[in-house]
């Protein structure tokens, strides 16, 4: 509450706030996207062809949100399990101990059982030692995370999964365009997940994509997709209106106004299982296609801002995360670790005071989410994930972040480090 009050009062004073994440949409792009939506100029083949280099081989299925896509994937996985002759006691899906809450929520909604494995705070990837110790006798699948556009060590994860006879679901909701080991994030394993939600690499406010490579899983998912209803036109109209507001309010000289509207719920993480599941709207696809045209420029800007953050933080107490040598991150955000929760919150407050939208991200490890504590299968403690929840903050990387913002951040962080 104190952070929100400081942010609101300071933003009103300075009339400038860099959003924690986002994709700039200039007026010409906005008009073109809305024209395509109004005329319903939708070519499924064009969207799939445009996405293919970014998501790898496999059949693409489009849903209203990433969590809806994962929930439908969960249904297909449940049927896959039954066809394999396994029972409910063998229906565990392994998740990293620190990830987006919608991942466990979607899989639990599909009736699957969950087991969490600890993460390495230095990478946010699975802790290799924890994986080796993990009891996988009742598991049949494992999910990656690729948080903030940083690819996990996916070649190592797929090798582990092959050794333990596990399916890999490569969750690339936050890392469209990232690459590792010569392949796109999301292209490893039986299926990949991508998202067009706000704050992702590109956005149409809503949207989720599953790319399925396993033939049996593809057949089952196709059957589930046929049963999925189409979106109501009123919801599509609301999403288009939200996109207009998003595009107009994202610039820093306007974004500060959104902090005066608490009903928007910006920056709040909730555990929810009651969400609508529909197919993706044809009218929203023009928004994504418009932004995908400038994806290389967006990636270049985010990579450059990540490089600048690395230099800015070199003489401060904040520790950037490590990435595999072969990784090319998408840098949806720039994650760093503070010394402890108190200093993390103080730094976030000070950065907000100078107009930089730093964020805590997910407030708890999965084992500490109250709604999940009775749903996890004999999961061991995850001290690494808990450490991440207490120390992690993320910094903006999108093109609205300017050199002068980094200069101000350097002064604040250098002063904080001397305290």
């Amino acid at each position: 509450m104190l952070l929100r009050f400081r942010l609101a009062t300071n933003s009103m004073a300075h009339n400038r706030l860099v959003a924690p994440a986002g994709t700039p949409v200039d007026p010409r792009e906005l008009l073109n996207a809305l024209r395509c939506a109004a005329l319903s100029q939708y070519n499924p083949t064009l969207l799939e062809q445009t996405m293919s280099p970014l998501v790898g081989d496999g059949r693409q299925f489009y849903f209203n949100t990433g969590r809806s896509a994962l929930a439908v994937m969960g249904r297909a996985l449940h049927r896959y399990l039954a066809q394999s002759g396994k029972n409910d006691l063998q229906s565990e899906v392994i998740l990293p101990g620190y990830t987006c809450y919608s991942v466990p929520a979607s899989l639990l909604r599909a009736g699957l059982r969950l087991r969490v494995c600890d993460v390495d705070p230095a990478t946010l990837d699975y802790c290799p030692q924890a994986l080796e110790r993990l009891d996988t006798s009742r598991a049949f699948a494992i999910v990656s995370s690729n948080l903030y556009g940083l690819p996990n060590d996916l070649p190592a994860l797929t090798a582990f999964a092959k050794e333990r006879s596990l399916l890999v679901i490569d969750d690339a909701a936050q890392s469209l365009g990232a690459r590792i080991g010569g392949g796109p994030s999301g292209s490893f394993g039986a299926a990949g997940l991508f998202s067009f939600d706000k704050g992702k690499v590109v956005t149409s406010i809503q949207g989720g994509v599953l790319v399925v490579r396993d033939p049996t899983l593809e057949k089952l998912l196709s059957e589930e997709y046929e049963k999925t209803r189409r979106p109501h036109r009123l919801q599509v109209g609301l999403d288009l209106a939200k996109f207009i507001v998003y595009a107009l309010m994202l610039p820093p000289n306007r974004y500060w106004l959104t902090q005066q509207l608490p009903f928007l719920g910006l920056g709040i993480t909730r555990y929810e299982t009651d969400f609508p599941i529909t197919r993706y709207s044809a009218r929203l696809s023009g928004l994504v296609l418009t932004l995908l045209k400038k994806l290389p420029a967006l990636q270049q800007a985010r990579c450059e801002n990540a490089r600048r953050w690395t230099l800015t933080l070199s003489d401060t107490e904040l520790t950037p995360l490590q990435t595999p040598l072969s990784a090319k991150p998408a840098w949806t955000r720039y994650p760093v670790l503070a010394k402890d929760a108190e200093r993390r919150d103080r730094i976030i407050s000070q950065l907000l005071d100078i107009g930089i939208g730093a964020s805590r991200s997910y407030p708890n490890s999965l084992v500490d989410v109250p709604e999940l504590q009775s749903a996890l299968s004999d999961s061991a403690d995850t001290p690494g994930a808990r450490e991440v929840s207490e120390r992690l903050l993320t910094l903006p990387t999108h093109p609205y972040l300017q050199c002068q913002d980094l200069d101000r951040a350097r002064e604040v962080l250098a002063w904080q480090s001397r305290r």
Side-chain angles (χ1 to χ4, degrees):
M1 184 63 70
L2 177 60
L3 286 179
R4 291 181 187 172
F5 176 77
R6 289 171 63 90
L7 172 57
T9 54
N10 192 71
S11 295
M12 292 178 67
H14 293 281
N15 294 349
R16 189 176 192 280
L17 176 64
V18 180
T23 302
V25 184
D26 67 36
R28 183 169 56 183
E29 293 167 340
L30 177 60
L31 290 174
N32 179 64
L34 294 176
R35 178 182 62 82
C36 293
L39 299 175
S40 193
Q41 294 181 349
Y42 172 61
N43 184 334
T45 302
L46 177 59
L47 181 57
E48 291 175 10
Q49 288 176 344
T50 305
M51 287 288 289
S52 286
L54 302 170
V55 302
D57 296 334
R59 184 175 173 186
Q60 300 174 24
F61 297 86
Y62 288 79
F63 296 86
N64 63 320
T65 62
R67 57 184 175 176
S68 295
L70 191 56
V72 177
M73 168 63 75
R75 295 175 190 166
L77 287 171
H78 213 287
R79 294 176 58 196
Y80 183 100
L81 189 71
Q83 289 188 11
S84 302
K86 297 182 179 181
N87 55 44
D88 282 347
L89 293 178
Q90 298 169 297
S91 64
E92 290 182 356
V93 178
I94 300 165
L95 303 181
Y98 187 84
T99 194
C100 178
Y101 294 178
S102 64
V103 177
S106 299
L107 296 174
L108 284 174
R109 177 168 173 169
L112 296 168
R113 298 162 62 88
L114 305 181
R115 180 177 293 271
V116 299
C117 179
D118 206 6
V119 301
D120 181 350
T123 64
L124 302 187
D125 197 354
Y126 283 106
C127 172
Q129 294 76 22
L131 272 180
E132 287 301 318
R133 295 191 302 266
L134 189 67
D135 178 8
T136 58
S137 60
R138 291 178 289 179
F140 77 105
I142 187 168
V143 181
S144 64
S145 62
N146 306 299
L147 293 177
Y148 317 116
L150 278 63
N152 294 159
D153 189 345
L154 296 169
L157 183 63
T158 52
F160 170 84
K162 183 177 180 180
E163 176 187 318
R164 302 288 184 101
S165 300
L166 301 170
L167 292 175
V168 173
I169 309 302
D170 192 4
D171 180 359
Q174 301 183 19
S175 60
L176 179 69
R179 299 181 67 85
I180 185 169
S185 176
S187 70
F188 291 76
L193 171 70
F194 302 86
S195 175
F196 301 143
D197 198 357
K198 57 186 178 296
K200 301 301 191 293
V201 176
V202 295
T203 183
S204 56
I205 298 301
Q206 293 205 80
V209 188
L210 285 173
V211 183
V212 186
R213 303 170 194 91
D214 181 278
T216 303
L217 195 56
E218 178 190 333
K219 180 178 182 298
L220 295 172
L221 189 58
S222 180
E223 293 170 358
E224 293 294 334
Y225 185 77
E226 288 302 315
K227 295 185 288 186
T228 304
R229 64 183 177 87
R230 298 182 184 276
H232 195 283
R233 60 183 180 180
L234 291 179
Q235 180 59 53
V236 177
L238 180 60
D239 291 337
L240 288 171
K242 288 180 179 178
F243 185 82
I244 295 172
V245 173
Y246 172 91
L248 294 177
M249 299 304 292
L250 190 65
N253 62 343
R254 302 187 194 117
Y255 186 77
W256 68 274
L257 290 167
T258 66
Q259 306 305 306
Q260 316 310 314
L261 306 174
F263 60 84
L264 293 177
L266 297 177
I268 298 175
T269 300
R270 298 186 179 93
Y271 178 88
E272 298 174 328
T273 56
D274 185 18
F275 49 85
I277 298 177
T278 70
R279 300 185 190 185
Y280 186 59
S281 167
R283 293 185 181 273
L284 298 182
S285 64
L287 311 182
V288 171
L289 283 168
T290 297
L291 295 178
L292 285 175
K293 291 178 182 177
K294 65 174 188 178
L295 184 59
L298 287 170
Q299 289 178 313
Q300 182 177 356
R302 288 186 173 116
C303 287
E304 177 60 18
N305 278 333
R307 184 190 67 82
R308 290 170 175 166
W309 273 123
T310 301
L311 294 175
T312 297
L313 301 178
S314 60
D315 295 324
T316 73
E317 66 180 54
L318 295 178
T319 304
L321 298 186
Q322 301 170 13
T323 57
L325 292 177
S326 63
K328 295 183 178 179
W331 294 116
T332 315
R333 302 187 186 208
Y334 190 88
V336 294
L337 296 175
K339 288 184 177 180
D340 52 48
E342 180 181 355
R343 294 176 79 88
R344 185 268 312 272
D345 291 345
R346 185 185 306 143
I347 288 170
I348 289 174
S349 179
Q350 290 169 341
L351 290 174
L352 291 172
D353 281 348
I354 62 170
I356 297 176
S359 172
R360 285 181 57 187
S361 199
Y362 314 116
N364 295 109
S365 62
L366 293 189
V367 297
D368 293 324
V369 176
E371 297 87 345
L372 282 173
Q373 290 179 357
S374 63
L376 302 179
S377 299
D378 302 323
S379 294
D381 193 18
T382 55
R386 184 172 289 119
E387 180 182 343
V388 171
S389 71
E390 294 172 351
R391 297 177 56 199
L392 183 78
L393 65 144
T394 66
L395 304 167
T397 57
H398 55 78
Y400 282 136
L401 181 74
Q402 300 297 312
C403 290
Q404 56 265 33
D405 298 313
L406 290 153
D407 290 340
R408 290 197 302 273
R410 181 182 294 109
E411 293 179 8
V412 167
L413 296 172
W415 176 81
Q416 175 66 40
S417 296
R418 291 193 296 268
R419 294 186 63 183

